């Protein structure tokens, strides 16, 4: 059986972390969970440590000393997953905006459908977003259109953070050359996979905004992505040596 791990970065997610872990562990297919916690002062990591007693070999925790950014959290998780022999590695939010029930669909797109990277897409079948203000929906949708135009990448949801990577994608991308750490990180990773010739498939999902906890979005995140995409257009993408 393939070894599968879902990486979930957390910062102050005490309202969600136990429920999301239990929901993932309830799925058929033995999905392991790796929490990357950035020093949450609300006790998120302590909750995870307690749950490790119930899932001793399936729930893992990496604690970091502070808010070091979404991108570096995932890169830490990717390196950990490769070192521990996982075949498929997922990105997923802690707040249930990504539905655990969609995880097997992403896995099937890779393991059965031949994709190297499967994206849980909000925009490949129109717009499938619930409980976002209309301004945020428009900004997100047209941000993806901007990325497609600048980079020529045929992906509708370029900023999506719900993904399944095959191991060979993560073994090939040079993590040391990844420069964006906010939501631009999601664009940069997809663009690397695209330029390195991997097969990317979008799986339609319905994205529902968080009901518990607080959003980590900021205007700086969008600024980094806007300018970072322009720079990315002229950068040479090379595989890891």
């Amino acid at each position: 059986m393939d070894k599968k791990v879902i990486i979930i970065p957390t910062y102050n997610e005490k309202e969600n972390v136990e429920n999301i872990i239990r929901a993932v562990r309830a799925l058929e297919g033995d999905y392991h969970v790796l929490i990357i916690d950035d020093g949450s002062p609300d006790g998120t990591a302590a909750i995870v440590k307690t749950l490790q007693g119930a899932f001793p070999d399936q729930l893992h925790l990496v604690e970091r000393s502070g808010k070091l950014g979404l991108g570096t959290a995932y890169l830490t998780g990717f390196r950990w997953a490769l070192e521990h022999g996982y075949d498929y590695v997922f990105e997923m939010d802690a707040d249930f905006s990504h539905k655990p029930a969609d995880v097997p669909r992403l896995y099937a797109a890779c393991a059965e459908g031949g994709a190297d990277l499967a994206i849980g897409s909000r925009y490949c079948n129109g717009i499938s977003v619930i409980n976002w203000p209309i301004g945020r929906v428009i900004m997100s949708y047209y941000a993806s259109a901007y990325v497609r135009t600048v980079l020529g990448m045929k992906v509708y949801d370029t900023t999506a953070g719900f993904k399944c990577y095959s191991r060979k994608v993560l073994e090939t991308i040079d993590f040391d050359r990844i420069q964006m750490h906010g939501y631009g990180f999601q664009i940069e990773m997809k663009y690397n996979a695209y330029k390195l010739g991997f097969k990317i498939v979008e799986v339609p999902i319905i994205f529902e905004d968080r009901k518990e906890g607080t959003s980590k979005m900021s205007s700086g995140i969008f600024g980094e992505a806007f300018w970072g995409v322009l720079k990315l257009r002229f950068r040479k993408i090379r595989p890891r040596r």
Side-chain angles (χ1 to χ4, degrees):
M1 179 184 290
D2 292 324
K3 287 186 66 178
K4 306 176 289 291
V5 65
I6 299 176
I7 302 171
I8 304 178
T10 56
Y11 183 78
N12 286 350
E13 291 288 356
K14 67 177 183 180
E15 297 93 346
N16 293 305
V17 70
E18 178 171 355
N19 290 334
I20 195 71
I21 289 168
R22 291 190 180 279
V24 168
R25 286 301 305 154
L27 296 170
E28 292 185 8
D30 192 26
Y31 294 87
H32 292 191
V33 179
L34 171 62
I35 302 293
I36 309 287
D37 187 69
D38 272 6
S40 298
D42 72 346
T44 297
I47 295 170
V48 177
K49 289 175 183 176
T50 299
L51 286 172
Q52 284 182 308
F55 309 111
D57 299 315
Q58 300 87 27
L59 175 58
H60 309 280
L61 172 66
V62 172
E63 294 183 86
R64 307 200 302 171
S65 58
K67 291 189 72 175
L68 302 176
L70 180 76
T72 65
Y74 275 125
L75 292 177
T76 296
F78 294 157
R79 291 185 174 103
W80 184 97
L82 291 176
E83 289 170 4
H84 288 81
Y86 285 93
D87 303 298
Y88 292 95
V89 182
F90 296 74
E91 293 184 17
M92 186 176 183
D93 289 348
D95 60 9
F96 283 92
S97 54
H98 303 145
K99 300 289 184 288
D102 289 326
V103 166
R105 298 173 58 226
L106 297 186
Y107 170 64
C110 290
E112 301 170 15
D116 300 304
L117 168 59
I119 300 168
S121 178
R122 299 164 291 184
Y123 304 132
C124 65
N125 280 351
I127 298 176
S128 300
V129 177
I130 298 173
N131 290 342
W132 263 10
I134 187 63
R136 187 169 170 185
V137 173
I138 291 171
M139 181 165 56
S140 174
Y141 182 82
Y142 282 103
S144 279
Y146 161 76
V147 173
R148 284 198 305 278
T149 301
V150 173
L151 299 181
M153 182 170 56
K154 295 177 176 63
V155 172
Y156 284 95
D157 195 348
T158 58
T159 61
F162 189 22
K163 296 184 278 185
C164 174
Y165 292 93
S166 68
R167 180 183 180 88
K168 62 184 176 181
V169 177
L170 298 180
E171 287 178 328
T172 304
I173 291 176
D174 188 349
F175 298 153
D176 292 334
R177 291 174 59 85
I178 299 296
Q179 297 182 6
M180 288 189 274
H181 295 153
Y183 280 79
F185 167 81
Q186 304 291 12
I187 300 167
E188 191 170 359
M189 286 293 293
K190 293 182 186 72
Y191 188 60
N192 270 262
Y194 168 73
K195 293 294 286 184
L196 292 169
F198 290 107
K199 181 179 178 180
I200 302 174
V201 169
E202 290 185 87
V203 176
I205 64 163
I206 296 175
F207 178 97
E208 184 173 3
D209 198 18
R210 67 164 60 236
K211 296 178 180 178
E212 302 288 345
T214 57
S215 174
K216 313 304 187 295
M217 294 290 275
S218 71
S219 58
I221 285 172
F222 285 101
E224 181 208 45
F226 180 86
W227 295 111
V229 166
L230 289 176
K231 295 176 183 177
L232 193 58
R233 173 66 178 82
F234 300 101
R235 195 189 315 159
K236 180 72 172 178
I237 303 299
R238 301 183 181 91
R240 183 186 305 177
R241 291 181 179 177

